[in-house]
């Protein structure tokens, strides 16, 4: 089997890249180790930056997003029993974010790919990327119990942190930057309308809490818990009681309860692999970088990566210059490190770390007061949250 661009992974990054290439008249093949049902049910991110929404619309994947996505023009910060709303459009010249789950993005892009695009092979497990430093890289994969090879001009690894793509970058060329956090997020889905019409980020002496949503009738809520916590060790009653404590305010706001349908714990880490390109292998999304979810940047960073690659490849086709392809890693990493910075800032702003002293607690409150009282500080948060521009 042969194609111009071999794409490993049918998450939102790989699927969007296939769509962008199809629209540009460039052929591709997508290899996905899981089956379609798994990909369409894989719970991940739910906040789309303004730039991500714009790209999906331009790619022809915006119809259901525009109909069912929930536009949010701000977030609320809670601390010391106080509430402060950050108004995105007023601070960013009109930008906003949209709540639309990654599962729904994948469903939309899969439907488009199967209807109009090139091959999308489910159950095709990538085994290795070979010849990344040559003019003709290839992907060995297994499907239906048989091994096969996909010959390519370029390979884009959108196969996540545990995929095979990153291993094809020689160790002597690699630098890794990472930080792990001594806490995680206990996340729950509940069949109850959200208790607020925008996301609420709460800093509390007992730990962080987040009020989010998946739809007008389904709430998504998170609690900071110690690293290694078993989600099953928390009863529903304990979860609701702790959420109520951490969201407490001095007004009459209340948290509505409902049946909890899902519980899971998300570990927190920051990770960057440099470089993001080796020869004709290009890493995108979690294959190259991970951010803690506090800044809502993971999916959006992956979109930025594949947009950068697609534009660079189209530039090479139109001009004969590989300059943008060769600069792919540097171009993406500028945006990646800004997102890492913002995600780290939001995480340390709102979470209580083991061993924090009253000094660290006062610093957190001072930083929150600064955002609430300074338009420039508030603007910096709003600009970062709604999205750093694509290169």
């Amino acid at each position: 089997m042969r194609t111009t661009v071999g794409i490993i992974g049918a998450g939102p990054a790989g699927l969007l890249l296939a769509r962008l290439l199809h629209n540009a008249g460039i052929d591709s093949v997508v290899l996905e180790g899981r089956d379609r049902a798994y990909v369409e049910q894989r719970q991940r991110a739910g906040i789309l930056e303004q730039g991500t929404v714009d790209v999906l619309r331009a790619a022809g994947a915006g119809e259901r997003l525009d109909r069912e996505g929930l536009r949010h023009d701000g977030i609320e910060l809670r601390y010391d029993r106080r509430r402060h709303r950050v108004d995105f459009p007023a601070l960013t010249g009109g930008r906003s974010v949209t709540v639309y789950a990654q599962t729904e993005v994948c469903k939309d892009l899969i439907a488009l790919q199967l209807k109009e695009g090139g091959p999308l092979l489910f159950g095709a497990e990538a085994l290795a990327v070979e010849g990344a430093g040559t003019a003709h890289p290839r992907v060995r994969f297994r499907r239906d119990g048989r091994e096969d090879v996909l010959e390519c001009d370029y390979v884009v690894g959108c196969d996540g942190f545990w995929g095979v793509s990153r291993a094809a970058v020689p160790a002597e060329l690699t630098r890794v930057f990472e930080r792990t956090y001594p806490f995680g997020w206990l996340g729950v889905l509940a069949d109850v309308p959200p208790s607020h019409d925008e996301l609420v980020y709460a800093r509390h002496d007992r730990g962080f809490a987040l009020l989010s949503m998946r739809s007008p009738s389904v709430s998504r809520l998170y609690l900071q818990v110690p690293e290694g916590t078993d989600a099953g060790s928390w009863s529903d009653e304990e979860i609701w009681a702790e959420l109520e404590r951490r969201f407490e305010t001095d007004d009459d706001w209340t948290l509505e309860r409902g049946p909890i349908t899902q519980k899971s714990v998300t570990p927190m880490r920051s990770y960057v692999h440099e470089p993001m390109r080796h020869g004709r292998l290009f890493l995108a999304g979690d294959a190259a970088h991970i951010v803690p979810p506090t800044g809502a940047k993971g999916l959006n960073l992956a979109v930025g990566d594949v947009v950068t690659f697609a534009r660079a490849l189209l530039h090479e086709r139109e001009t004969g210059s590989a300059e943008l392809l060769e600069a792919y890693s540097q171009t993406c990493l500028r945006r990646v490190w800004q997102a890492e910075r913002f995600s780290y800032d939001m995480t340390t702003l709102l979470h209580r770390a083991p061993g924090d002293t009253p000094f660290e607690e006062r610093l957190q409150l001072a930083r929150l007061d600064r955002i609430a009282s300074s338009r420039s500080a508030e603007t910096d948060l709003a600009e970062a949250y709604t999205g750093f521009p694509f290169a």
Side-chain angles (χ1 to χ4, degrees):
M1 187 182 299
R2 197 180 197 301
T3 190
T4 300
V5 181
I7 301 171
I8 307 176
L15 292 166
L16 177 59
L17 177 57
R19 181 66 183 173
L20 296 174
L21 295 175
H22 169 77
N23 290 347
I26 300 171
D27 62 292
S28 68
V29 173
V30 182
L31 304 176
E32 168 56 49
R34 303 283 192 164
D35 62 26
R36 179 177 179 178
Y38 180 90
V39 174
E40 292 186 340
Q41 295 169 11
R42 185 165 43 192
Q43 292 289 338
R44 292 290 189 275
I47 304 295
L48 307 184
E49 296 174 353
Q50 181 73 64
T52 296
V53 171
D54 294 343
V55 166
L56 288 169
R57 286 174 178 155
E63 180 181 353
R64 198 162 66 93
L65 165 62
D66 287 334
R67 186 173 67 249
E68 299 179 13
L70 305 175
R71 173 180 164 135
H72 282 204
D73 286 335
I75 58 171
E76 183 173 287
L77 300 175
R78 291 193 187 180
Y79 63 102
D80 207 19
R81 302 180 68 91
R82 289 179 282 169
R83 305 169 66 177
H84 175 76
R85 181 175 185 267
V86 180
D87 186 332
F88 292 156
L91 296 163
T92 64
R95 299 214 308 268
S96 64
V97 297
T98 298
V99 175
Y100 191 65
Q102 173 176 312
T103 50
E104 306 311 309
V105 174
C106 287
K107 289 174 186 176
D108 296 343
L109 291 169
I110 286 171
L112 284 170
Q113 185 71 6
L114 293 178
K115 179 181 179 182
E116 304 173 4
L120 167 53
L121 306 181
F122 291 105
E125 178 191 6
L127 303 174
V129 178
E130 300 172 341
T134 72
H136 300 289
R138 42 190 264 160
V139 183
R140 281 197 300 109
F141 67 98
R142 181 188 297 116
R143 191 176 191 223
D144 297 330
R146 299 177 58 184
E147 284 198 19
D148 204 343
V149 173
L150 177 63
E151 304 279 354
C152 317
D153 294 331
Y154 306 92
V155 175
V156 182
C158 305
D159 50 345
F161 184 78
W162 301 107
V164 302
S165 299
R166 193 173 60 252
V169 181
E172 62 271 19
L173 302 179
T174 295
R175 295 187 70 189
V176 169
F177 306 85
E178 60 184 326
R179 180 187 183 92
T180 57
Y181 299 86
F183 43 76
W185 279 10
L186 170 62
V188 301
L189 279 174
D191 285 340
V192 60
S195 299
H196 196 272
D197 56 2
E198 293 177 336
L199 273 69
V200 177
Y201 287 77
R203 182 267 176 207
H204 193 275
D205 289 344
R206 297 176 64 90
F208 169 74
L210 172 63
L211 186 157
S212 182
M213 64 280 295
R214 280 294 176 262
S215 74
S217 60
V218 177
S219 293
R220 182 71 162 154
L221 303 122
Y222 298 93
L223 285 170
Q224 176 188 344
V225 293
E227 182 183 22
T229 293
D230 176 10
S233 67
W234 282 71
S235 70
D236 292 5
E237 173 59 33
E238 289 171 329
I239 290 171
W240 285 118
E242 190 62 25
L243 286 165
E244 287 173 347
R245 292 188 193 101
R246 298 190 193 184
F247 286 125
E248 61 188 0
T249 64
D250 282 333
D251 59 18
D252 60 357
W253 182 89
T254 58
L255 178 68
E256 297 298 327
R257 296 188 178 198
I260 291 176
T261 60
Q262 186 183 108
K263 302 177 189 177
S264 61
V265 173
T266 301
M268 305 280 280
R269 65 185 308 210
S270 302
Y271 176 92
V272 180
H273 177 283
E274 296 186 5
M276 289 176 59
R277 165 185 167 264
H278 172 59
R280 294 197 169 205
L281 168 67
F282 299 78
L283 304 179
D286 286 1
H289 43 72
I290 294 173
V291 289
T294 326
K297 289 284 164 260
L299 181 154
N300 297 290
L301 274 183
V303 168
D305 294 342
V306 298
V307 167
T308 300
F309 174 80
R311 288 177 177 173
L313 183 57
L314 187 58
H315 177 79
E316 191 264 348
R317 289 298 174 94
E318 292 176 344
T319 69
S321 171
E323 178 184 5
L324 297 185
L325 286 169
E326 292 169 357
Y328 170 83
S329 184
Q330 301 94 304
T331 301
C332 290
L333 284 169
R334 284 194 292 270
R335 191 168 185 269
V336 166
W337 277 111
Q338 285 301 317
E340 292 283 356
R341 185 270 306 172
F342 174 67
S343 300
Y344 172 83
D345 285 350
M346 287 287 283
T347 301
T348 57
L349 174 70
L350 297 164
H351 292 73
R352 295 291 311 282
D356 273 359
T357 68
F359 180 82
E360 280 84 24
E361 295 171 18
R362 292 294 189 185
L363 282 182
Q364 282 184 324
L365 294 174
R367 291 166 65 191
L368 285 160
D369 276 338
R370 175 66 177 169
I371 292 168
S373 61
S374 166
R375 186 175 179 86
S376 60
E378 194 178 25
T379 299
D380 184 64
L381 187 156
E383 288 180 342
Y385 198 98
T386 56
F388 302 106
F390 299 144

